[in-house]
Amino acid sequence: MKRDDDAAPVAPTGVDTEKPSAARIYDWFLGGTHNWAVDREFARALEKQWRWVKPGARHNREFMNRVVRAALGAGIRQFIDLGSGVPTAGNVHEIVQEELEPGETAKVVYVDYEPVAVAHAELILERHEATDWAGIVHADMRRPKDVLRHPETLRLIDFDQPVCLMMMAVLHFAGPHDDPPALVATYRNALAPGSWLGLSHMSFGGQTGEDADGLHWMVEQYRKTSNPVWMRDREEIEPLFGDWPLLEPGVVHLPDWRPVRELRRDEEGARPFAWCGVSVHP
Ligand SMILES: C[S@@+](CC[C@H](N)C(=O)[O-])C[C@H]1O[C@@H](n2cnc3c(N)ncnc32)[C@H](O)[C@@H]1O
């Protein structure tokens, strides 16, 4: 199969390339190519003020990959990825393709509200000949019914079977008015016993000083875009798992959830600025 995902992007119809987009900025931090000058300019300005943004994005992606592998290892064969982003390398369906034996199947539903993420996901799933078992839902995850009752979700997901629901680096785009605890509970309540909830969330991590100041600056910049962000502390993040028991090692920083490699010294500083965990529907 020809893999030409790295070709320079063509703006899909209806996609605004004049304003920076969270999905494309994140793609740039991960080394992807689905971004435009406006995104790169915004991303470089962020990086200058807050040096941990790129290693942080990579730690988040690696955590997501480890969760997918662990869920597959535990026998889960259905994934819903809320706020999936531009499908840069290492996306859920690619991990599934890598991990499963030929003939084994799993289902993947990506969800994003950014038209560019949706357009590129459609293209890539077609190129990877994965549309029979993976799909993208264009919806706002703050409206759970739009996600859970979407025809593409219903085509792919059997809600009587366990699902690995992923909310990776997406809940910091939900403000207090979106009531994150109630929102996450609505999703948890839709899932069968044995389901997993994998979640990561940016945080000031109790830090002060230059690095925390840089992150404060970054939050202010995002507040000026169509994707404002809200940081949360561990005390606000842990209850999002509800009464589902946490898998070991509990709620920890991204590189500390079942690590498979040592951090380099030049990426250590990103560690305090996000929390993550996985819980299981008993
Ligand atoms: C920082 S990226 C994270 C991508 C991916 N989850 C990961 O961890 O690698 C956040 C993504 O969430 C999407 N997003 C933010 N708020 C959303 C919402 N309310 N509904 C759906 N997608 C949303 C953005 O468009 C962006 O693509």
Side-chain angles (χ1 to χ4, degrees), residues 20-27 29 42 46 53 57 60 81-86 111-114 117 139-143 166-181 183-184 199-203 215 218-232 237 240:
S21 121
R24 299 187 316 236
I25 292 166
Y26 186 74
D27 174 65
F29 287 135
F42 190 91
L46 291 183
V53 62
N60 181 63
D81 185 5
L82 301 177
S84 45
V86 173
V111 179
D112 210 288
Y113 69 172
E114 285 265 5
D140 189 323
M141 60 104 195
R142 292 170 297 180
R143 297 165 168 265
M166 297 192 291
M167 303 183 89
M168 304 296 189
V170 66
L171 274 171
H172 49 246
F173 294 104
H177 49 282
D178 296 314
D179 194 353
L183 178 65
V184 184
L199 191 155
S200 66
H201 199 301
M202 285 193 73
S203 175
L215 185 55
M218 189 171 115
V219 169
E220 278 163 33
Q221 302 314 302
Y222 268 100
R223 291 272 169 97
K224 295 178 200 162
T225 71
S226 48
N227 310 103
V229 299
W230 282 264
M231 298 291 107
R232 295 189 173 87
I237 296 168
L240 298 174

Side-chain angles (χ1 to χ4, degrees), residues 139-149 183 186-187:
D140 189 323
M141 60 104 195
R142 292 170 297 180
R143 297 165 168 265
K145 275 188 201 158
D146 292 359
V147 173
L148 298 168
R149 296 190 190 161
L183 178 65
T186 305
Y187 282 105

Side-chain angles (χ1 to χ4, degrees), residues 15-68:
V15 167
D16 185 350
T17 58
E18 302 297 318
K19 261 197 239 140
S21 121
R24 299 187 316 236
I25 292 166
Y26 186 74
D27 174 65
W28 188 79
F29 287 135
L30 291 175
T33 55
H34 301 279
N35 47 72
W36 278 266
V38 67
D39 308 308
R40 293 191 285 273
E41 201 179 308
F42 190 91
R44 285 196 191 102
L46 291 183
E47 204 182 6
K48 225 173 177 176
Q49 296 292 331
W50 194 57
R51 57 188 165 147
W52 303 117
V53 62
K54 207 185 261 182
R58 294 192 173 170
H59 294 169
N60 181 63
R61 193 68 164 183
E62 289 174 7
F63 164 66
M64 182 272 265
N65 284 193
R66 296 196 299 277
V67 172
V68 174

